[in-house]
Amino acid sequence: MEILQSTEEMIARSRAWKAEGRRIGLVPTMGYLHRGHRSLMALLRPQVDVLVTSLYVNPLQFGPKEDFSRYPRDPEGDARACEAEGVDLLFMPMTFFPANFRTQVAVSGITSRWEGALRPGHFEGVATVVARFFGVTQADVAIFGEKDYQQLAVLRAMVRDLAMKVEIVPGPLVRDDDGLALSSRNVYLTTEQRKRALTLHQALFAMQAAKEKSVEERLALGRRMIDCDQLDYLAVVDADSLEPVEQLQGPARVLVVGRYGATRLLDNVELQ
Ligand code: AMP
């Protein structure tokens, strides 16, 4: 596996691959890789000629009071994980944005609720960095986890609206052995917080199983079960538009964010 830290070299490499007609796959990450990230690499590996994983803690998507400076980092462990998953090139840019970068990609509508409402500027940061990653790597296909369900919807909208020629593949949410959704941020949790955090997925699964109950009753059930310091939201939404639904008519999703101290944990499950 090759490791590149220069964005210029990455651009030159991907152009050369393209000229050779190779199919390029991209797994964008912020590092501190776990089995969730690795599952994305494993899913994409058989679909492409060259598999690129990017590792970049994107400052644009963090708010001023968020955890950018203390986001967990383990570049050596990450390189080992990528190698084990058959990644061809690990791209860890030292400098990713050119000087005087002045472009912002903003997806409207689908960003107005949930994470978009609580983290102003977050999805603009995500869409902007991902758009540049698509340009830099010339990816034919890129994979994103359903763990960040709204992010996946936002990026699909961006690709469709701008007719980007990259294909977006979703990767199923991967859980730890105790059921907690895997996240790089789980390392922030104390033992006591982590124990209470298990009520998040337990509530989602109970809501999923309560097939005879209305949406309102399922939400009440979920709220009773969740033990967190602050419930940012618990919502039943249309699986495509992410608008809240009052009755189940088509594919839907339950989205939840609970806070444990300063740590926000996201989870979701499908309904129906
Ligand atoms: P991050 O490093 O948190 O930016 O995540 C990089 C990619 O991994 C995103 O597409 C996430 O949705 C995905 N991801 C993170 N955690 C999980 C998980 N538990 N299961 C599946 N995908 C995940």
Side-chain angles (χ1 to χ4, degrees):
M1 183 182 74
E2 187 177 4
I3 298 180
L4 280 188
Q5 293 190 312
S6 151
T7 301
E8 284 64 41
E9 282 180 41
M10 183 72 241
I11 291 172
R13 187 63 50 87
S14 57
R15 297 224 166 122
W17 284 334
K18 277 265 93 114
E20 293 165 3
R22 302 235 228 158
R23 181 169 160 83
I24 303 171
L26 174 66
V27 187
T29 81
M30 298 203 301
Y32 211 70
L33 303 177
H34 50 63
R35 280 193 293 113
H37 298 112
R38 292 180 64 152
S39 74
L40 304 180
M41 300 173 203
L43 269 169
L44 208 52
R45 179 62 275 183
Q47 299 185 32
V48 297
D49 300 317
V50 280
L51 184 61
V52 178
T53 292
S54 63
L55 194 167
Y56 179 62
V57 184
N58 169 30
L60 298 185
Q61 71 188 70
F62 287 79
K65 293 190 183 141
E66 294 182 2
D67 56 344
F68 174 68
S69 55
R70 66 182 189 113
Y71 195 82
R73 289 166 168 86
D74 178 18
E76 283 91 29
D78 290 347
R80 282 194 297 275
C82 290
E83 178 110 56
E85 294 301 337
V87 169
D88 296 299
L89 192 150
L90 173 57
F91 176 44
M92 312 171 54
M94 302 278 276
T95 312
F96 185 57
F97 290 101
N100 297 325
F101 186 80
R102 54 176 77 74
T103 301
Q104 204 185 38
V105 182
V107 179
S108 64
I110 203 154
T111 54
S112 65
R113 294 182 191 270
W114 322 126
E115 290 308 278
L118 289 166
R119 302 181 68 188
H122 170 68
F123 283 125
E124 286 79 1
V126 170
T128 303
V129 81
V130 171
R132 180 160 165 84
F133 268 114
F134 289 167
V136 165
T137 65
Q138 303 274 302
D140 296 285
V141 50
I143 189 163
F144 296 89
E146 288 183 338
K147 157 84 184 351
D148 300 283
Y149 194 80
Q150 190 177 13
Q151 169 173 280
L152 177 61
V154 169
L155 295 174
R156 279 183 156 143
M158 174 184 82
V159 165
R160 192 197 50 224
D161 289 359
L162 299 181
M164 292 174 159
K165 63 171 202 42
V166 58
E167 177 194 345
I168 303 280
V169 173
L173 191 159
V174 177
R175 298 181 178 282
D176 217 335
D177 295 339
D178 57 9
L180 186 68
L182 281 167
S183 164
S184 306
R185 291 189 167 102
N186 290 351
V187 57
Y188 298 149
L189 299 172
T190 64
T191 312
E192 181 267 344
Q193 286 171 332
R194 190 184 164 106
K195 202 167 156 201
R196 290 196 292 133
L198 301 183
T199 60
L200 289 174
H201 76 271
Q202 288 162 355
L204 295 188
F205 288 157
M207 290 172 70
Q208 191 181 46
K211 294 200 189 315
E212 72 296 345
K213 286 196 161 66
S214 68
V215 166
E216 203 183 319
E217 287 167 333
R218 291 196 216 211
L219 286 168
L221 170 69
R223 276 195 216 100
R224 277 200 304 276
M225 291 182 68
I226 293 169
D227 177 9
C228 63
D229 298 336
Q230 183 185 318
L231 187 60
D232 277 358
Y233 54 82
L234 173 69
V236 176
V237 304
D238 179 274
D240 294 322
S241 70
L242 270 53
E243 288 296 306
V245 295
E246 281 162 18
Q247 283 175 357
L248 292 181
Q249 274 152 350
R253 205 95 192 170
V254 192
L255 307 180
V256 69
V257 172
R259 285 192 201 215
Y260 295 84
T263 307
R264 299 177 72 245
L265 297 184
L266 286 72
D267 202 342
N268 68 84
V269 291
E270 67 180 347
L271 282 192
Q272 291 191 307

